[in-house]
Structure formats: structure tokens, C-alpha cells
Amino acid sequence: MTNTDLKALELLFQRPLEPAFTTRDSGKTVLELPDSFYTDRYRNDTEEVGNRFSKDVDLKIPIQELANVPNLDFTNKIGLKNQFSLFNNRHREIASELITLFMGAPNLRQFVSLSVYTKDRVNPVLFQYAYAVAVAHRPDTREVPITNISQVFPSNFVEPSAFRDARQEANVIGESGARVHVDIPQNYTASDREDEQRLAYFREDIGVNSHHWHWHLVYPTTGPMEVVNKDRRGELFYYMHHQILARYNVERFCNNLKKVQPLNNLRAEIPEGYFPKILSSVNNRTYPSRVTNQKLRDVDRQDGRVEISDVERWRDRVLAAIDQGYVEDTSGVRTPLDEVRGIDILGNMIEASPVLSINYNFYGNLHNEGHNLISFAHDPDYRHLEDFGVMGDVTTAMRDPIFYRWHGFIDTVFNKFKTHLNPYGAGELNFDGVTVDYIEAKIGKSNTRANTLLTYWQKSSADLAAGLDFGPSADGNIFASFTHLQNAPFTYTFNVTNNGPRRTGTCRIFICPKADERNQPLTLEEQRVMAIEMDKFTVDLVPGENSIRRQSTESSVAIPFERSFRPVGADYQPKAADELARFRFCGCGWPQHLLLPKGNAQGMLFDLFVMISDYSQDSVQQPKTPNDACSTAYSFCGLKDKLYPDRRTMGYPFDRRLPNASLSELVGAFGNMAKTDLRIVFNDRVIDKA
């Protein structure tokens, strides 16, 4: 790969609505297109526009002619100014064909040319999705950083008035260093009269919604088999969303709200309204709202039709399969839903991949079509010419309270399967000769108490410049400030006795809520389904006493703030090779600033649970592919081009019923487990990020 190839691929993530020939990289770089690449609108003015945008740039990157010009007519069904949705069957099929086209480019330079040629001829969001999937999966684009979606299409994440202020600041103040940061209000979608607004800091967090988009980028449902058919993809769909739901329910307890009521009746009124107040990037319209007590209706639109009865029928068939203990393919061949592969099979059926579902026509498309029913509730027959609401877009769906009710229902389906499995037995839980003697979590400042952790508000900033199309192109950055939850970094310390030879274990850390919003104690089964995975890592155990220390910032679940909101451009990239690799590739992962639940001012009590399992039962024989620089967030995102690095089912040991009556009894019965009280204190003040 040449430097200009790398640069050209990076630049295609910037200013997604502008033609490919305009300047990028803060006005420093331009792509020099062959005349044949210009669209009909500019074909007669190629010299004029080429000369205009080539003035005063530092770098001109010539783009090679295409050996084979593709026919892109198949993309015309999604207009240039239409919304694009991964939940829409037609849109997914078109995206699949475009991804296949990108993946089939014979070499890197032709991939660059194909991408540049395609960019101005297809829907911008469709292009950015298919292009990012191809960059993430082509072996010759490993070194290309994928820009965070919040910087590509910032209007999907940011209150609209911020853009007016940002453009004004950039136009009036020429030197980017002298520009003030534009403030994004913290609460702008509802007043405190709406109880659900207490969770806006979680639902509308930029990092949370960026993670959701990036996960679906890494695990698409359609495309070439090498892109779609990843190890334990269906199980990862279950587990990643299950953990989101567990975290959301715990956040509700922190804010004196009861846990989510699953949306198991699609014919009842939906009491939760939602007014998102954000703009679609492609057509500059606001995402439609959903009024309080809205009823769902059959969707009958040109680009998609679904009846409520369809979704109910698919639901019943999936539940019947769980009760029967097997699924049937199109030939009637039965596959058992066992404890090893059952959850993966169900995941690929429920978030239905046409190429992975065991019987797509029979078991249907339960998860996605539920999203569609909800997202078109305001205009199901297109009589008002309205597009889908936020539930129709993976970049915005998690903003809506109904997302958690719908996924609450989906999670009950998965959990129904899990409860059909036998409880874990002693042989599956024990690690003979290993005893966890002491555990603590402690903030790294002097005079702090062990097992008391701290959360607070932090004001941070992100660069909007890359996504501000048709705005000022020079002098770099346009920063927006926003307030989000943050936690003080802390260190785990565990003392472990190994009464045996030197061996390896897997350390599994969870926190479990002890009580609900009414301060009523939770049963072990209630704790089990709301257990939050905090970290997972291997430990070498020498004979005798072992002291294990682990920083919260090393979590296998989360990625640091800098990876969620990295500035665009080479000036902001790390110089060390290993840090540069992580910076470039690691966009998938839960945001580190939400690693801990909010807690409350009095100090909300949790059980800190630690287990050391036998690594010989956990280890996976990996293929000999290059090491993944993003291994730090593998719990939710897996490893690139490798197997999921834990043989146990995801969420172990809390993914199945446990043999004891309480968590105290469980850790009392197994020496390789321990728990202690953990208090999370919320300090209601705002601290500027250093």
C-alpha cells in the first residue's frame, strides 16, 4: 500500500455529502479524478471544478481509471436523498451487492478507484456503510482507520442548533485554534416531567450509539460469506444486546425507575413517546417523532411491507422451536438447540441473516421487522411522506426508550432458551485447588476507601469538521463540547491461592445489583440476568499465593474515550506502532466512560463477583492469522479474523441457571469464586476533561 492509497481511502470518510473532487483534510488534499468519474452534473465542467478545488492544496492524489466500470443501477431503488436502513430488507440486499462489489476489487488501487467512482453515484449513507464494511474486511485495507460514524454524520448524534453555531464559528474565526467550542445541551429531548428522560444521558450518549453502529458494521447480516459468516455471530448478537439491556436496567435502578417492561404485545398502545430532535444527514429533515400512546399498525409502503401478524407468527414459531428443543431446515432436517450451538443458531434466526438462518422463510425476520413496525408507527402507509423514526437506523435506535422494551422482549426469548438448559453443575463451575481469598476495587488516589467507586459528569469535546459538508474547508477543527457520565479509574486487586502446579486461569469479573428501585433484595435469578460483565483476562497462577492487579482501563468490554472520539487527521494519530494500530482499528467496544453504572449520591450497593475458571477448559485454538490490535474489547466484538477467544458460552457463569439459592451460597460452595460489597457513589458535578 502506498501512502497516497492510504490517504485516499481515509479521505472518503470525510465530508460524505460533498462530491469526491472537493478538498478534504482541512483543505490540504484533493483527489484528482479522471474525466469519466464526474457525474452528469459536472461532466461538462470538469476542468473548471478541477482547477477550482486544486488551488492552494498541499497534496493532489491522482485516481486511476477503472478497468471495469460497474453498473450501479441496482442502487437506484435507494434515492440519493432517501434514508438508508439496515432493518429494511431491500436496503440490506442492495448493501450486500455493493459490499460484494467492493470486496471483489482485484487490488488496492482499483478498490480506491471503484470507491471514488461509486461515492457520488449512490446514496451517501449506503455508500459509507458498504465502504466501511469493505475496509473493515478486505485484507489489503488493514491499515486504514475507519472514522467514527459520529464524525462522518454528526447530525445523527448532535442537537441541530450546534451546527449553526459551528458553521458560524468556522466562518467568522479563521484560525481554528482561536475558535470557541460549541456547546451541545445535555437534556434537549424532553423535560423532567418525562420520567424516561432520567436515562437520556445513557440512551443519547454519542459513544453508546457509535458502538451500536460499529458492531453492526463488524457483524452485518448480508454480504459475501467471508464477511457475514463469523465465529459465533448469532451468539454475539444475543450477548452484546443482552449486556446493553442489563446495563440499562441497572441504570434505571440508579434513577429510581423499575426495570424495562418487555414489548411482548404489539397490539397495545405504547405509552412511551419520543421526540428525537435530530436531523437526517441526507435530507436535512428531522427524524419523525412518536406520540404518547401510539398504536402500531401494519406497514404498507413501497420499500417495505410487514404485518403485525407476520411478526407474531415468527415469534410463535421461534418459541415453539425452543420448547421442542430443535429447529428444522427447509428440508425438514432437525438440528437440536443444545447448550453449545443452540444460542448461536437462535441468534442468527432472530436477527435473521438470509444466509445464516437455518430456515429464513419459516422462522422469519423477528428482530428487524419489529424495528420496522415501531419505526413507521407515525406513518405506516406513507400517506404523509414521512421516513422512518430513529428505531429504523442503527446509529440512532438506542436513543429511543422503546429500543430497550423491544430488546427486552427479544432477550426474554433468548432467556427462555437458557432456562430450558440444565443449571450449571459443580464440574462446570469448580477449579480444583484454586481459591480466591480476597478481592477489592479501589480508586487510585490516596485516602480512598476500598470498594467505593466514583462516577460524575465530565465535559468533553469532539471534532465535527469531517462531517460538516459544504462548510469551511480550511484551518482544521470545529469542536463541540458535550457532557457525559464518567468514572474515576480504579484498580482491582485479587489474592488467589493455587494449591497445585503452575497453571493458567481465566479471571471473570462481574457486578450484580443487590436491590431494585424500591430497595427490595434481588434473587439470584434476578441478579443473574442483570449481571454486568466488567472484564475478562487470563492469569498465570504459580503454586501458593498469587496477587493479581488489573486496571479498569484494561477492560475486555470497553474502549477508551480517545477511540470513540478521536480527532481526524495524521496530526492526532499516535506515533508508537502498537498504539497506532489500536487507534486505527478499534472502533467497536462499549465506551469506557460508561463502564460503571451511575450509582447514586448515597452510594448504590452492588456485588462485585470474581471467578477464576480453568483456562484449559476455556482456551481456543486460533487460526494463524495476524494478531488483532483490538483484542482489548473482545467481549462484545470478538477478534478480527479469529475465533471468539473463550470456549465457554458468553456470559458464563451467569448465562444459565445456577445451582444455589443465592450468590452468597454460590461463592460459599466454590472456592474459585468470591464476592464483596461494592458501593458506587455519584457526584453530581461537572468536571472538564483535561
Side-chain angles (χ1 to χ4, degrees):
M1 174 185 288
T2 67
N3 287 336
T4 54
D5 289 330
L6 172 62
K7 189 75 172 178
L9 291 170
E10 285 188 50
L11 293 177
L12 289 179
F13 287 112
Q14 296 183 20
R15 299 185 174 239
L17 305 184
E18 292 188 13
F21 54 75
T22 61
T23 56
R24 282 164 169 75
D25 194 24
S26 300
K28 299 173 186 175
T29 308
V30 70
L31 305 178
E32 291 190 319
L33 277 56
D35 287 353
S36 61
F37 278 41
Y38 286 84
T39 59
D40 291 344
R41 168 63 184 87
Y42 301 108
R43 187 157 291 158
N44 295 327
D45 304 301
T46 56
E47 186 174 350
E48 179 185 344
V49 296
N51 291 338
R52 177 188 174 191
F53 289 102
S54 295
K55 289 180 181 178
D56 303 321
V57 297
D58 297 337
L59 177 64
K60 300 176 183 178
I61 301 177
I63 302 301
Q64 188 182 65
E65 283 276 12
L66 275 169
N68 295 295
V69 177
N71 183 346
L72 298 173
D73 288 350
F74 69 92
T75 67
N76 292 342
K77 293 176 183 176
I78 309 177
L80 295 180
K81 295 182 181 179
N82 290 356
Q83 286 277 57
F84 168 75
S85 172
L86 283 175
F87 302 115
N88 181 291
N89 291 332
R90 181 185 293 178
H91 292 194
R92 282 205 320 279
E93 290 167 3
I94 293 169
S96 174
E97 195 168 342
L98 189 55
I99 292 166
T100 303
L101 183 67
F102 285 154
M103 293 295 291
N107 55 55
L108 183 69
R109 188 147 294 171
Q110 282 291 288
F111 174 55
V112 173
S113 297
L114 178 61
S115 301
V116 173
Y117 179 85
T118 304
K119 179 188 177 301
D120 295 340
R121 289 171 167 81
V122 304
N123 179 279
V125 185
L126 165 67
F127 171 80
Q128 287 294 333
Y129 169 72
Y131 174 66
V133 170
V135 168
H137 292 89
R138 282 182 64 99
D140 56 4
T141 53
R142 286 179 171 274
E143 296 181 34
V144 180
I146 296 176
T147 303
N148 189 288
I149 191 67
S150 66
Q151 294 168 295
V152 178
F153 293 116
S155 62
N156 287 27
F157 300 84
V158 175
E159 196 271 332
S161 68
F163 296 106
R164 181 198 63 192
D165 297 340
R167 287 191 170 95
Q168 177 178 320
E169 189 70 17
N171 277 302
V172 174
I173 307 297
E175 294 296 327
S176 60
R179 294 171 184 162
V180 300
H181 287 205
V182 175
D183 244 351
I184 300 172
Q186 187 174 6
N187 280 305
Y188 61 87
T189 49
S191 70
D192 58 7
R193 296 179 66 180
E194 172 55 67
D195 287 344
E196 294 297 327
Q197 191 65 11
R198 299 181 206 172
L199 273 296
Y201 69 89
F202 181 98
R203 291 185 285 99
E204 295 168 2
D205 183 85
I206 296 174
V208 163
N209 286 277
S210 298
H211 159 73
H212 190 234
W213 171 83
H214 206 116
W215 189 92
H216 283 277
L217 180 84
V218 176
Y219 292 98
T221 57
T222 56
M225 282 300 283
E226 69 267 24
V227 170
V228 177
N229 191 19
K230 294 190 175 76
D231 182 50
R232 296 169 71 176
R233 182 210 166 278
E235 185 179 7
L236 260 173
F237 169 78
Y238 146 71
Y239 186 61
M240 190 276 289
H241 289 88
H242 168 77
Q243 279 290 297
I244 287 176
L245 195 68
R247 287 176 171 275
Y248 187 69
N249 276 324
V250 171
E251 294 289 348
R252 294 180 71 84
F253 289 168
C254 296
N255 289 277
N256 298 313
L257 294 173
K258 64 182 181 181
K259 69 180 184 179
V260 163
Q261 179 68 37
L263 186 63
N264 51 19
N265 183 355
L266 297 176
R267 298 181 184 273
E269 290 182 344
I270 297 174
E272 299 89 356
Y274 187 62
F275 294 73
K277 301 178 183 64
I278 52 173
L279 295 176
S280 158
S281 297
V282 292
N283 57 25
N284 219 35
R285 293 181 180 177
T286 57
Y287 279 85
S289 304
R290 184 184 62 256
V291 297
T292 302
N293 296 325
Q294 176 75 62
K295 290 195 74 170
L296 301 182
R297 289 181 289 165
D298 297 342
V299 173
D300 184 11
R301 299 165 67 98
Q302 284 186 333
D303 61 350
R305 292 175 174 82
V306 60
E307 296 180 5
I308 294 174
S309 59
D310 293 333
V311 178
E312 292 171 330
R313 182 170 61 255
W314 298 330
R315 173 201 65 195
D316 293 343
R317 288 174 177 174
V318 171
L319 291 174
I322 291 171
D323 286 334
Q324 292 166 340
Y326 62 84
V327 291
E328 292 188 11
D329 67 14
T330 53
S331 302
V333 176
R334 295 178 178 179
T335 300
L337 294 173
D338 59 24
E339 61 192 32
V340 177
R341 291 192 58 237
I343 191 70
D344 193 50
I345 292 169
L346 284 172
N348 284 327
M349 280 170 40
I350 291 172
E351 201 219 11
S353 167
V355 295
L356 297 182
S357 174
I358 203 157
N359 193 338
Y360 183 78
N361 289 331
F362 184 75
Y363 294 110
N365 194 3
L366 176 61
H367 164 263
N368 287 352
E369 295 294 13
H371 269 267
N372 288 329
L373 282 174
I374 297 166
S375 69
F376 287 119
H378 57 283
D379 192 15
D381 57 6
Y382 201 48
R383 71 178 58 201
H384 300 294
L385 307 182
E386 284 288 318
D387 226 316
F388 53 74
V390 292
M391 274 288 281
D393 188 335
V394 292
T395 66
T396 57
M398 288 185 65
R399 303 174 73 87
D400 192 334
I402 202 65
F403 173 91
Y404 304 89
R405 290 196 61 202
W406 177 237
H407 275 274
F409 163 69
I410 295 293
D411 199 60
T412 63
V413 176
F414 285 122
N415 197 47
K416 179 181 176 68
F417 162 72
K418 290 286 188 176
T419 55
H420 276 54
L421 301 175
N422 292 327
Y424 279 118
E428 298 168 294
L429 296 171
N430 203 17
F431 190 6
D432 287 336
V434 172
T435 306
V436 182
D437 304 308
Y438 175 78
I439 63 174
E440 73 165 31
K442 192 171 186 292
I443 296 173
K445 294 183 178 180
S446 58
N447 302 321
T448 56
R449 296 173 58 185
N451 300 319
T452 297
L453 303 181
L454 178 67
T455 64
Y456 53 91
W457 300 121
Q458 183 176 73
K459 177 167 279 194
S460 301
S461 58
D463 187 7
L464 302 180
L468 285 184
D469 300 276
F470 305 108
S473 61
D475 296 324
N477 312 103
I478 305 168
F479 284 100
S481 296
F482 57 99
T483 302
H484 58 87
L485 191 67
Q486 183 58 283
N487 56 84
F490 56 94
T491 303
Y492 301 106
T493 302
F494 312 138
N495 294 338
V496 179
T497 300
N498 175 19
N499 293 313
R502 183 169 188 149
R503 46 189 164 167
T504 303
T506 304
C507 185
R508 303 169 187 273
I509 307 174
F510 293 82
I511 59 172
C512 304
K514 293 173 74 75
D516 64 13
E517 81 286 357
R518 296 178 297 119
N519 207 31
Q520 297 299 302
L522 298 175
T523 65
L524 176 59
E525 179 65 11
E526 289 172 321
Q527 286 187 295
R528 181 185 74 78
V529 296
M530 285 188 280
I532 294 173
E533 182 176 341
M534 297 293 289
D535 204 350
K536 178 167 55 179
F537 55 96
T538 57
V539 289
D540 290 323
L541 300 173
V542 299
E545 295 181 358
N546 295 261
S547 183
I548 299 166
R549 290 172 63 84
R550 176 84 164 181
Q551 304 301 317
S552 62
T553 51
E554 299 175 281
S555 171
S556 65
V557 170
I559 58 174
F561 182 89
E562 288 70 23
R563 292 188 210 162
S564 292
F565 304 104
R566 52 194 173 205
V568 176
D571 293 345
Y572 300 93
Q573 296 183 3
K575 301 299 183 281
D578 58 340
E579 283 301 312
L580 181 59
R582 292 189 185 94
F583 176 91
R584 283 175 167 166
F585 306 129
C586 306
C588 185
W590 190 250
Q592 179 77 35
H593 58 271
L594 288 177
L595 180 65
L596 282 181
K598 182 181 177 183
N600 58 33
Q602 297 75 36
M604 186 169 171
L605 279 177
F606 292 81
D607 281 316
L608 172 63
F609 172 90
V610 177
M611 175 186 189
I612 309 287
S613 60
D614 185 351
Y615 182 70
S616 68
Q617 303 298 312
D618 307 336
S619 62
V620 174
Q621 186 67 41
Q622 294 286 7
K624 293 182 179 179
T625 53
N627 286 333
D628 181 14
C630 295
S631 59
T632 49
Y634 73 81
S635 286
F636 287 0
C637 301
L639 298 177
K640 182 177 172 62
D641 301 327
K642 290 183 181 292
L643 303 178
Y644 191 81
D646 184 2
R647 200 188 318 166
R648 308 276 190 176
T649 46
M650 297 174 198
Y652 169 85
F654 291 109
D655 67 299
R656 275 164 57 187
R657 289 175 295 146
L658 293 159
N660 305 88
S662 69
L663 199 57
S664 296
E665 282 190 23
L666 178 71
V667 299
F670 297 97
N672 60 316
M673 305 178 190
K675 79 173 184 73
T676 191
D677 284 353
L678 178 73
R679 188 179 299 273
I680 300 179
V681 178
F682 170 63
N683 189 340
D684 192 10
R685 61 173 179 156
V686 179
I687 296 176
D688 288 337
K689 181 174 171 60

